[in-house]
Amino acid sequence: MEYKASCYCALTSYEVRENYYYTYKGKIYVKYLSDIIIESLKKYSSEILGVCIVLPAIIDNVNRNIITMVLDMEKNETFIDDLRDYIPQQYGLAFFNDTTSLAYAENTFGSVESANYAYININEGVGASYIHDSKILRGTTGLAMQLGHMSIKKDGVPCSCGNRGCLENYIGELSLRSRAIEYGLIDKNFDSDFLFRDLEEMSSKGDQKADTLIYALADELSDALGKIIVILNPEIIVIGGIGRKLGEKYLNRIQANIKSNGFIQFCKNINIKYTKLNDSAIFIGAAKYYIDKHFDFSRNAEGDLFLS
Ligand SMILES: [Zn+2]
């Protein structure tokens, strides 16, 4: 499998100055990654206030471990400490989850004026993050808000997390092909990917089976959101990721479901919308959180390590 690592340089003005893509195969090696980072540090040395690593993974701050079902890493258990050893000590080093970074960017750079909101990231799988009182809700070890692994079918399909019937195995893009077969949109011999954009295109051309599947995906997400709403009482829910390609029918259905089926006191004023930010929000969100919550201009950052 081939991966792309990207390296962004974001300034305190929260603009992306440069971005590079590095293609690599197989495992992620700490030495390879740190060499890339050190090159940027040399280039911008005096302007850099810290290094933020953003990963599609859970950052376990108690065991200093990376938990990922997506990345193939050289050594998950020592990745954090190994990188800290390689990156020059005068720079603070912070690790962030990708969805968390996107979530935090919404408050400052997006259209969210709230200290309590959820961000749902619908891609191949489903990620989620909750900003509580302007801080990331992490739980005991950083595992909070695993919405994609909330079971919606007790005897459903087994998931790599060990559970059954996890939401992301029904509404994530990786499962869309099998859902499209189930709903009679494509034949089981269909020999290509079937993506959110393909489903939306069929729907926009008037295919009623496509509408039915969009509504099913929306209904399943709505059920999970209903549980989040009664537990956490968000003011806003922002939906990001490629799931947005499902368009207005998907979003309108979710909004209608929550308004009509939810606990009325929680749901009557809740605002559910798509993000308006682009992909670079992931980096400026991490940079903003680092400056807001971790970095202290009045002290030396020597050897600092933050697991967010
Ligand atoms: Zn799962």
Side-chain angles (χ1 to χ4, degrees):
M1 193 165 181
E2 198 168 83
Y3 298 95
K4 277 185 178 173
S6 55
C7 176
Y8 276 69
C9 295
L11 306 180
T12 48
S13 57
Y14 304 111
E15 295 163 359
V16 173
R17 183 179 285 192
E18 288 188 47
N19 74 74
Y20 316 92
Y21 288 93
Y22 299 87
T23 303
Y24 59 97
K25 288 185 178 178
K27 290 186 183 298
I28 297 172
Y29 289 94
V30 172
K31 180 72 171 61
Y32 176 72
L33 195 57
S34 54
D35 284 348
I36 292 169
I37 294 166
I38 288 166
E39 275 303 303
S40 290
L41 293 175
K42 283 181 188 158
K43 192 169 176 184
Y44 293 103
S45 58
S46 63
E47 295 178 82
I48 291 179
L49 301 178
V51 177
C52 302
I53 310 283
V54 184
L55 298 167
I58 297 162
I59 317 297
D60 178 345
N61 60 313
V62 173
N63 301 300
R64 293 162 80 104
N65 189 11
I66 302 291
I67 301 167
T68 175
M69 277 152 243
V70 181
L71 301 173
D72 186 9
M73 303 174 86
E74 181 189 16
K75 292 177 193 162
N76 292 32
E77 313 76 29
T78 58
F79 182 80
I80 290 170
D81 287 326
D82 289 347
L83 257 188
R84 181 60 283 183
D85 287 343
Y86 277 117
I87 306 283
Q89 296 297 307
Q90 72 261 36
Y91 301 106
L93 177 62
F95 288 80
F96 292 94
N97 168 265
D98 55 351
T99 302
T100 295
S101 304
L102 288 167
Y104 197 70
E106 286 297 327
N107 192 301
T108 312
F109 308 102
S111 54
V112 172
E113 291 180 17
S114 172
N116 293 286
Y117 60 95
Y119 185 96
I120 315 299
N121 197 16
I122 299 179
N123 291 298
E124 287 84 1
V126 176
S129 186
Y130 195 86
I131 303 297
H132 170 69
D133 208 10
S134 299
K135 287 194 74 177
I136 298 163
L137 184 73
R138 291 184 47 79
T140 308
T141 59
L143 278 157
M145 281 298 280
Q146 294 303 309
L147 186 74
H149 296 280
M150 177 185 284
S151 180
I152 59 167
K153 288 182 185 167
K154 145 170 107 63
D155 299 316
V157 292
C159 178
S160 56
C161 75
N163 199 356
R164 279 183 169 273
C166 290
L167 179 69
E168 74 175 17
N169 294 326
Y170 295 89
I171 70 163
E173 198 174 51
L174 273 183
S175 63
L176 192 62
R177 190 177 182 282
S178 63
R179 299 299 302 270
I181 294 168
E182 179 192 346
Y183 278 74
L185 284 162
I186 55 173
D187 186 77
K188 65 177 182 221
N189 297 318
F190 185 76
D191 62 353
S192 174
D193 291 335
F194 189 81
L195 305 175
F196 287 136
R197 66 165 185 259
D198 301 319
L199 178 58
E200 197 283 329
E201 192 180 327
M202 291 175 88
S203 167
S204 65
K205 288 178 179 167
D207 188 321
Q208 293 195 345
K209 287 179 182 168
D211 285 353
T212 305
L213 178 51
I214 288 177
Y215 295 146
L217 297 172
D219 293 350
E220 286 156 355
L221 177 58
S222 303
D223 283 350
L225 292 181
K227 295 178 175 76
I228 295 294
I229 289 166
V230 291
I231 293 168
L232 294 171
N233 188 205
E235 188 176 1
I236 299 170
I237 294 175
V238 182
I239 298 175
I242 51 177
R244 284 176 291 159
K245 294 198 185 302
L246 292 173
E248 292 306 307
K249 279 181 189 165
Y250 181 66
L251 182 62
N252 292 342
R253 178 81 166 200
I254 295 165
Q255 290 166 334
N257 282 340
I258 297 298
K259 292 268 190 290
S260 62
N261 299 334
F263 189 146
I264 189 73
Q265 300 305 329
F266 286 88
C267 297
K268 64 181 177 184
N269 294 321
I270 197 160
N271 181 358
I272 302 172
K273 58 186 176 182
Y274 284 141
T275 181
K276 292 191 169 74
L277 296 178
N278 62 29
D279 293 346
S280 65
I282 203 166
F283 302 102
I284 58 177
K288 186 74 168 66
Y289 198 86
Y290 177 77
I291 296 296
D292 287 352
K293 308 294 181 188
H294 296 322
F295 188 74
D296 182 348
F297 283 91
S298 67
R299 59 178 280 277
N300 189 332
E302 184 79 16
D304 278 353
L305 177 63
F306 305 104
L307 308 179
S308 295

